Amino acid sequence: MAEQYADPSTFSMDSFRLDGKVALVTGASYGIGFAIATGLAKAGAKIAFNDRDQAKIDAAVENYAKDGIEARGYVADVTSEEQMQQLVKDVEADFGTTPDILVNNAGIIKRTPMLEMDAADFRQVVDIDLNGPFIVSKAVLPGMIAKGHGKIINICSMMSELGRETVSAYAAAKGGLKMLTRNICSEFGEHNIQCNGIGPGYIATPQTAPLRERQADGSRHPFDSFIVAKTPAARWGTPIDLMGTAVFLASDASNFVNGQVVYVDGGILAYIGKQPA
């Protein structure tokens, strides 16, 4: 019998919509997580997020509301299996369903030379940036399996591919997260669950603002000059640059994309750099 192929004429731009879907975005009180959650909401998703600090949750809920988004925040630590299992139960009680979409965004970085870094600090970075996504994914996967669909998006990094001085723990964790992404794809793809990653480049946020401040003589900050020179786009990224990729990976339009990391970096990883003058 001849193989049956989907009719391309049945494709609809509605496949990029997220209407009726519940998205859990960890650490989405501010920054990249906040932007990604906002993008998912604008595509129709209902937003749940967590933070360890109730005050940050309250402020974030107000900020979401300013953009017409009704987001619900929960106090929970991604490194606690008990707390994340309870969070998923709370999401189901509040939204009427378990998460359809998970964005593992919560993370930290400690910029410390390796020989000066305590093992406890190394473990803390790995615990939040790698064990956290494992724990949260483990909490949402049973619900996704029961539904027969699910999307997990891990926020990786260029440091999933590159090394750099002072970020040994972060690079180790993000490299591990890339491989966790591939293994979730391998283990749960048959359940119609897609797990992919986003690898942001250098993104202009309030946290990176000091690295972009003009010097007293009006010149660029040295690190700002370095990043712009290494980026074919010749600029820093913005949180908005990540939103479209997140919506695509969360939507039915990406149903045959699995185990990949999409680097949204302005081309840094493709570029060897300019020849010195």
Side-chain angles (χ1 to χ4, degrees), residues 5-275:
Y5 294 96
D7 181 356
S9 68
T10 64
F11 176 78
S12 168
M13 292 301 291
D14 288 342
S15 64
F16 290 92
R17 294 291 306 174
L18 304 176
D19 301 289
K21 301 292 179 67
V22 174
L24 170 59
V25 186
T26 66
S29 294
Y30 57 89
I32 287 173
F34 183 90
I36 287 175
T38 297
L40 299 181
K42 288 181 180 292
K46 300 174 184 177
I47 302 300
F49 70 98
N50 80 296
D51 197 290
R52 292 182 294 184
D53 187 329
Q54 183 65 55
K56 290 181 180 178
I57 287 174
D58 294 340
V61 168
E62 290 185 11
N63 288 329
Y64 282 117
K66 291 175 184 177
D67 206 11
I69 298 168
E70 185 178 348
R72 186 179 289 269
Y74 302 84
V75 175
D77 185 337
V78 297
T79 66
S80 168
E81 287 195 78
E82 180 180 344
Q83 290 182 32
M84 296 317 298
Q85 293 285 344
Q86 184 60 51
L87 185 151
V88 172
K89 292 177 182 177
D90 291 341
V91 168
E92 183 174 17
D94 292 336
F95 290 86
T97 185
T98 52
D100 303 284
I101 300 159
L102 167 64
V103 182
N104 281 311
N105 165 76
I108 63 169
I109 185 170
K110 290 180 181 286
R111 296 182 176 89
T112 308
M114 184 172 171
L115 293 182
E116 299 173 17
M117 189 173 211
D118 293 334
D121 287 337
F122 189 97
R123 290 191 188 101
Q124 183 186 23
V125 174
V126 173
D127 200 23
I128 294 172
D129 292 6
L130 180 55
N131 290 343
F134 166 78
I135 287 168
V136 186
S137 297
K138 186 178 173 184
V140 304
L141 276 164
M144 292 179 174
I145 292 170
K147 292 179 179 182
H149 68 82
K151 301 282 185 174
I152 297 176
I153 302 171
N154 292 325
I155 303 305
C156 297
S157 168
M158 291 189 304
M159 298 300 110
S160 298
E161 300 289 344
L162 298 173
R164 187 170 177 271
E165 64 277 6
T166 78
V167 293
S168 58
Y170 183 79
K174 292 299 185 178
L177 186 57
K178 175 182 69 175
M179 293 310 301
L180 179 63
T181 299
R182 292 177 177 175
N183 277 273
I184 292 173
C185 157
S186 302
E187 191 163 351
F188 300 101
E190 65 180 344
H191 297 287
N192 192 30
I193 294 168
Q194 292 82 49
C195 181
N196 293 289
I198 296 175
Y202 284 91
I203 305 299
T205 66
Q207 289 74 31
T208 59
L211 298 175
R212 289 175 281 107
E213 288 180 349
R214 290 284 176 173
Q215 304 299 285
D217 61 0
S219 64
R220 288 181 180 271
H221 188 289
F223 192 79
D224 184 16
S225 297
F226 168 70
I227 293 304
V228 172
K230 288 292 293 181
T231 306
R235 66 173 177 87
W236 287 61
T238 70
I240 292 174
D241 290 317
L242 302 170
M243 292 164 73
T245 305
V247 169
F248 168 65
L249 292 177
S251 74
D252 289 343
S254 62
N255 280 351
F256 206 55
V257 180
N258 211 354
Q260 305 302 309
V261 179
V262 180
Y263 291 98
V264 185
D265 65 356
I268 290 180
L269 287 174
Y271 186 44
I272 196 172
K274 292 181 181 179
Q275 180 177 333

